[in-house]
Structures are given as structure tokens and as C-alpha cells.
Amino acid sequence: MNHTLHAIDYGIILFFLGLTLYFGFIFANKQKTTQNYFLAKGKVPSWAIGMSLLATLISSVTFLGYPGEGYSSNWILLVQGLMVPIVLLGTIWFIVPIFRKVIGLSTYEYFEKRFGRFARYYSSSSFILRQFSGMGTVLFLMAIALGNLTGQSPLLIMLVIGGIIILVNLKGGIEAVIWLDVFQGFMLLASGITCLVVLLYSIKGGFSEAWQIASSKGHTGFGPYELDLSKLTFIVMVINGSFYAIQKYGTDQTVVQRYLTAKTDRQAIRASLMGIFLTVPVWMMFMFIGTLLFVFYQQNPLPEKVQADAVFPYFMMTQLPTGIVGFILSALISAAICSLSADLNSLAAVGVEDYYKVLRPNQSDESYLKASKWIVVLSGVITLLIGALYLSTGSEGVLGIVFTLYAIFSGGIVGIFLLGLLSSRANTQGVNIGIFVCILFTAYAFLTSTQIGLGDQKSLLLDLGAYNFPHHKLMLGVYSHLIVIVVGYVASLFFPAPNCDRNLLLKGWFEDRKKK
């Protein structure tokens, strides 16, 4: 069994890293305007955009977090992803054409047109916080995994991969990111299927025995199914997943930007559906890999020091042949690069459109393009610092942490979006009041449910006894959206009805459909 990487594996990894840089440089000469840099409008076919959505949404978190969760528990955290196609099949048809009609580049332009500048900056700042917390996690997971496998410093790995990601974005823009996503999306699928097949053949008794062992040990299913919002249950994940689907595909710049790159509304919708129906099976595959890892190590003792998030890398190093290990690690690195490249590009788009153009209006497009590239570098450096912070503090149960951070930083964004889309009566004043109440609630819920400290010496940031936030943290994001909807709408009734652009409303989309 191999316990260290072979020279062949290193060679394969270096080859794919070189190929990644090549993708950045072959599109370098096309990045002369901000439109090309951020949208490459009409230059990319819908199937490639769909593959790009897959690669964007699959990162080191999926590659290591899902197997880690499948190994240590059942499939409950997969419920969030399973809700995405259910919700999106009913909404993608109007979300895509409305955005393509009313915004130029930034998703949060819609929020300003509907509810004013405060709504725009509140929603864009929430997006930025979510991105940085998620990006730091992606880098952390990848660096820890590769550090354990290669014996190299995780910080050094983080710096090298981070530098490549920044360089690809600087040179190639969104077009390089999308085509890199396509190539690495196929790598991801191939590596996942390879690991799945190897595991099934490695388990004594095959699939039937694996299912029996996993089921008897509580490692299948999506339970607990009780109606209890205070802990992680099926109903909590269903509710959270429904809002997550709308937030990710309706208010997240990384995804919405893909809609804008397509040539037509129809192509954008087709790409979105393709991305959704590719991503969910990949999430399921990596979660099931974790379940099979649990069964495999029930039959073959695992060293006690190996934690859940490190089980998959340990299996790769000890059970897979030379060459295959290099290919799968290249896919892991590629997943991180694809996800982070898309994130950096979208952060730069929001930085320029929502902030820099306000501070420096009426500048040349060349000036804005230069600013975009500086924002890419700055965002990359901040991400590296966050990843380094994670390295210094350590982390357990990464997938759960990411979902929790996402819920906290969601900040009622879906509530603002749904009010804007569904209600012509909701107005700027009412929504601003809703946002203010949402901020107060989020602060209260976070402080009274978050423990700090080491080992058993943990205490709440703010302990109000019986008045502490009583439910699971994933419900925090759900309640924040509901608060904005209810408080925002009721408060709007105390102010004059707005003169609302019909193109910003779902009702306007229906009217246009009837005319066709």
C-alpha cells in the first residue's frame, strides 16, 4: 500500500496545474473590456455554461466534506441539495429572464431598482461575507488534505494554489473560468465514479452487504424525521434547503452571472437546468462514497487518529494505485480552483459595479477593468488570510460549519428578493425596516446560540437563559427571510404605494408571456 505520493502522481498533478495556467493565458488577449472580462456574452454555448455551474458549485467542500459526513453520519445534509431541483423547476423560468432584462452585471442592481441603495448594499455585503467564509473553507480543506497526503506544508500548498487561481482570473476572465470549469467538471465526474467503483469492489459482499451494514448502523436515510426545530432534523433541512435554492439561484452573483453570459434567455434556462441536474447527482455520489467508506472501514480497521474529513484522502493513499491517486488529487485541486475562480470573478464584478463605480463614477471602461483586476488580487489575498486563520485554529465537521455560516450570512436576502418579485405594494421604507429588524434578530440569535471556548470549557457569547435562541442554527437563516417578508410587507402599508417598474415583478413577466 502507498502511504506517500509517487513521482508519477506528482507529475500528473503538476501537469494539470500547468494546464490550468494554460487555460488562463489562451484567453488573455480577449480581456479588453469589462463586458468580456465578466460576461463574455454570447461567446460560450449553453452546455458549457451548465458544466461551469456544476464545477462552480462543486468544490473541496463537496469532495471532502460530503464523504466525511457520509462516513460519520447519514445523508441528512444532502437534503439541502435535493431541495434545489424541486424549488428551481418552479422558479427558474421567470428568474432568468427577469434578471437578464433588468440588470447589467451585478445581481444587486435589481435590489436597488426595486428598493433603493440600502437594499443593494445590504444584499451585496451579505454576499461578500458568504463568499469569503466559504472560499476560506475551500482552501482550508484542500490544503489540509494535500498536506496530509504529500507531507508538504498546508500553508505552502495554499499559497501556490491561491496564486494560480489569482493568475488565471487576472489573465483569462470569465471565459477562461468557464472553459476551465468544463474540462475540470469531466475530471470531477471521472474521479468520483472511479472511487465509487473501487469502493464497491473493495467491500466484501458488494453493494448488498454494504447497504445492510450501513442501514443497520444508521448510516442511510435522511432522519431524524421528528418535528423538532431545535436540532438537525429532516424538516429543518427541507425548510432550509428551499430557501437555499432560491438564494443560490436567485440572488447569488456567482450563479446569476452565468445567466448573463448566455446568448439568449432560452440558452440561459437550459444551462441552469443542466447545471442543477448535474450537480445534485454529484452531491449524492460523494455522500454515498462516504457511506461506502464507513462500511469498508467496518471491515478493515482504520487508525484511530484519522478524523472523518480525512478518511477519504486516507483511503486514496492506501487503497488506490499510483497514477490514479495523482489523477484524483488533481480533480480535488481542480474542484477548488474552479469554485474559487468563479468566486473571485463574481466578487470582482460586485466590487466594481456596486462599490468602485459609486466611488469613482464616469471613468473609462479601461479604468474599471484595471480596478476589477486589483479587486481580484485583493480578494485572493483576503481569502488566503482567512484560509491561514482556519489552519491556525483547526476545524471539525466542516460541512456543517459551512452550512451554518451560509445561514447566518444569508441575512434575509431571499425575503427581500421575494417581496420585490411578488408584491407591488412593498416599498423602500417598509423593506428597510424589515432589514433593520432582521439584523437585530440575527445578532440576538447568533449571540445566544454560539458557544466559544476550548474542550468542555465552552460558554455562550450571550446567555439569556430561557430567552436564548431555541432552534437549530440553520433555522436562523430561514427566520431572517421570513422576518423581512412579514415585517417588510406590514411596514410598507404605513407608507405610500410605490410606482414600481412592472419589469421587476413576477406579474410583469406573466403579462409579457400572455402577449407572446
Side-chain angles (χ1 to χ4, degrees):
M1 301 295 178
N2 292 326
H3 292 275
T4 57
L5 282 186
H6 192 278
I8 293 174
D9 296 313
Y10 278 113
I12 292 171
I13 292 171
L14 290 173
F15 170 76
F16 280 110
L17 286 177
L19 204 57
T20 299
L21 282 172
Y22 172 73
F23 269 95
F25 280 92
I26 60 174
F27 292 101
N29 293 331
K30 298 183 179 182
Q31 311 311 315
K32 304 297 185 184
T33 67
T34 52
Q35 280 289 306
N36 280 340
Y37 190 68
F38 290 121
L39 296 178
K41 206 157 191 174
K43 295 181 179 179
V44 183
S46 60
W47 68 266
I49 298 172
M51 284 295 293
S52 176
L53 276 170
L54 164 68
T56 297
L57 296 170
I58 302 296
S59 66
S60 309
V61 174
T62 301
F63 213 105
L64 296 173
Y66 274 78
E69 196 64 35
Y71 172 83
S72 60
S73 182
N74 63 2
W75 307 329
I76 188 168
L77 289 184
L78 186 60
V79 175
Q80 186 188 70
L82 296 178
M83 291 306 299
V84 172
I86 295 172
V87 173
L88 266 295
L89 279 175
T91 58
I92 202 73
W93 316 101
F94 55 83
I95 287 177
V96 167
I98 287 174
F99 271 130
R100 284 175 56 86
K101 190 171 188 177
V102 302
I103 68 172
L105 175 58
S106 171
T107 307
Y108 311 105
E109 184 182 338
Y110 172 86
F111 290 79
E112 179 176 5
K113 288 183 175 180
R114 188 64 185 85
F115 294 122
R117 283 203 167 185
F118 180 67
R120 178 173 188 166
Y121 292 119
Y122 176 73
S123 55
S124 65
S125 61
S126 293
F127 165 75
I128 290 168
L129 287 171
R130 287 197 309 275
Q131 290 302 94
F132 278 128
S133 64
M135 290 162 68
T137 305
V138 168
L139 267 182
F140 166 78
L141 270 176
M142 181 203 61
I144 286 293
L146 291 177
N148 290 336
L149 294 172
T150 63
Q152 301 297 321
S153 162
L155 183 60
L156 177 62
I157 292 169
M158 192 180 287
L159 291 173
V160 171
I161 302 301
I164 291 173
I165 292 166
I166 292 170
L167 193 56
V168 168
N169 266 276
L170 284 178
K171 302 300 291 184
I174 193 66
E175 198 170 357
V177 170
I178 289 176
W179 284 111
L180 187 62
D181 286 349
V182 171
F183 171 73
Q184 295 180 335
F186 284 114
M187 277 185 64
L188 181 76
L189 289 169
S191 64
I193 292 169
T194 299
C195 290
L196 197 64
V197 171
V198 170
L199 269 164
L200 284 171
Y201 276 98
S202 300
I203 291 172
K204 299 166 190 171
F207 177 80
S208 59
E209 182 68 12
W211 185 265
Q212 183 179 349
I213 294 174
S215 298
S216 66
K217 300 287 186 178
H219 279 253
T220 58
F222 305 100
Y225 299 100
E226 59 207 79
L227 291 174
D228 185 351
L229 301 182
S230 65
K231 59 185 181 181
L232 193 65
T233 60
F234 178 76
I235 189 65
V236 166
M237 290 305 296
V238 167
I239 298 169
N240 178 269
S242 300
F243 282 94
Y244 166 81
I246 298 173
Q247 181 157 331
K248 193 68 182 176
Y249 284 83
T251 72
D252 192 292
Q253 175 68 24
T254 313
V255 174
V256 173
Q257 200 169 325
R258 294 299 190 280
Y259 305 156
L260 305 179
T261 61
K263 194 170 185 178
T264 65
D265 290 357
R266 186 182 295 274
Q267 286 188 5
I269 291 171
R270 189 183 303 133
S272 303
L273 291 173
M274 178 181 171
I276 293 165
F277 286 106
L278 281 174
T279 303
V280 173
V282 171
W283 283 333
M284 294 171 67
M285 176 171 64
F286 279 96
M287 187 68 82
F288 190 57
I289 284 173
T291 304
L292 294 179
L293 284 169
F294 170 78
V295 175
F296 180 79
Y297 286 114
Q298 288 289 299
Q299 299 178 343
N300 306 274
L302 180 70
E304 291 183 8
K305 63 181 181 179
V306 181
Q307 296 182 342
D309 290 330
V311 170
F312 190 26
Y314 179 83
F315 174 82
M316 286 189 278
M317 287 299 295
T318 58
Q319 301 298 322
L320 298 181
T322 297
I324 297 297
V325 175
F327 175 76
I328 292 175
L329 290 183
S330 297
L332 166 61
I333 297 169
S334 296
I337 289 175
C338 288
S339 176
L340 292 171
S341 295
D343 290 340
L344 279 185
N345 192 273
S346 62
L347 277 171
V350 169
V352 167
E353 286 293 308
D354 291 0
Y355 296 93
Y356 188 77
K357 285 187 177 181
V358 174
L359 297 172
R360 300 290 301 275
N362 305 317
Q363 301 292 305
S364 66
D365 189 70
E366 183 180 0
S367 170
Y368 291 136
L369 180 60
K370 188 179 294 184
S372 302
K373 295 186 176 183
W374 276 111
I375 293 172
V376 165
V377 174
L378 179 61
S379 298
V381 170
I382 292 173
T383 300
L384 286 169
L385 290 174
I386 293 172
L389 178 64
Y390 285 178
L391 280 176
S392 66
T393 58
S395 178
E396 295 181 4
V398 172
L399 195 58
I401 292 172
V402 172
F403 284 0
T404 301
L405 289 173
Y406 203 93
I408 291 169
F409 292 140
S410 63
I413 307 303
V414 173
I416 304 171
F417 177 63
L418 291 178
L419 268 183
L421 199 65
L422 303 176
S423 172
S424 59
R425 184 63 183 83
N427 54 40
T428 300
Q429 300 94 324
V431 167
N432 286 346
I433 291 172
I435 292 172
F436 179 71
V437 174
C438 172
I439 292 171
L440 291 178
F441 167 78
T442 302
Y444 148 75
F446 176 72
L447 291 173
T448 60
S449 63
T450 302
Q451 293 186 332
I452 58 170
L454 299 174
D456 297 328
Q457 307 298 315
K458 291 184 178 180
S459 60
L460 291 171
L461 288 169
L462 176 65
D463 193 347
L464 299 178
Y467 298 101
N468 289 336
F469 181 67
H471 293 160
H472 193 275
K473 278 189 181 177
L474 291 188
M475 291 303 296
L476 194 160
V478 173
Y479 294 149
S480 71
H481 302 314
L482 295 175
I483 284 171
V484 170
I485 292 171
V486 174
V487 175
Y489 183 80
V490 172
S492 294
L493 300 178
F494 292 90
F495 299 93
N499 182 18
C500 188
D501 182 352
R502 59 182 293 280
N503 290 323
L504 302 172
L505 298 166
L506 178 60
K507 181 169 65 176
W509 177 80
F510 274 119
E511 290 171 356
D512 288 341
R513 292 277 295 178
K514 288 178 182 178
K515 292 176 184 177
K516 292 181 180 179

